Amino acid sequence: MSCVIAGDYIFLAHHGGGHDKDDIIHQMRKTFESMENTLASIDATLNDVVQINLYLGDIKDFRLTADVFKEYFKNGSPAI
């Protein structure tokens, strides 16, 4: 399992994805799909996420990643 449950908290381990392409949008979508799968395995969803640590190789990609966040977090992004 790629997470640890501690009381009322769920801690996800690293969930990178999509490294088969050099495309930040593809990588972000694959990462969020992986997170969704892990969370679903413990009856949770992305709506339960309160913080994400995002590491970018190029700060110019930030706007693109913010747009992908909006696809997966309809009620506003968690703290980044």
Side-chain angles (χ1 to χ4, degrees):
M1 187 181 309
S2 299
C3 67
V4 173
I5 300 170
D8 292 335
Y9 298 95
I10 303 164
F11 296 91
L12 298 182
H14 178 264
H15 277 74
H19 298 293
D20 54 310
K21 295 183 183 178
D22 188 21
D23 176 347
I24 192 66
I25 294 172
H26 172 74
Q27 292 172 0
M28 290 293 295
R29 287 181 178 146
K30 290 297 182 185
T31 297
F32 285 138
E33 289 168 13
S34 175
M35 290 172 64
E36 285 177 320
N37 290 335
T38 298
L39 290 166
S41 74
I42 55 169
D43 295 322
T45 69
L46 288 175
N47 290 330
D48 297 306
V49 174
V50 296
Q51 180 179 347
I52 293 177
N53 294 328
L54 175 64
Y55 300 97
L56 296 173
D58 189 337
I59 193 64
K60 291 184 236 171
D61 290 331
F62 186 77
R63 175 59 23 218
L64 296 171
T65 62
D67 291 341
V68 177
F69 267 82
K70 291 176 189 173
E71 291 177 32
Y72 288 87
F73 297 95
K74 305 290 186 211
N75 296 325
S77 294
I80 300 175

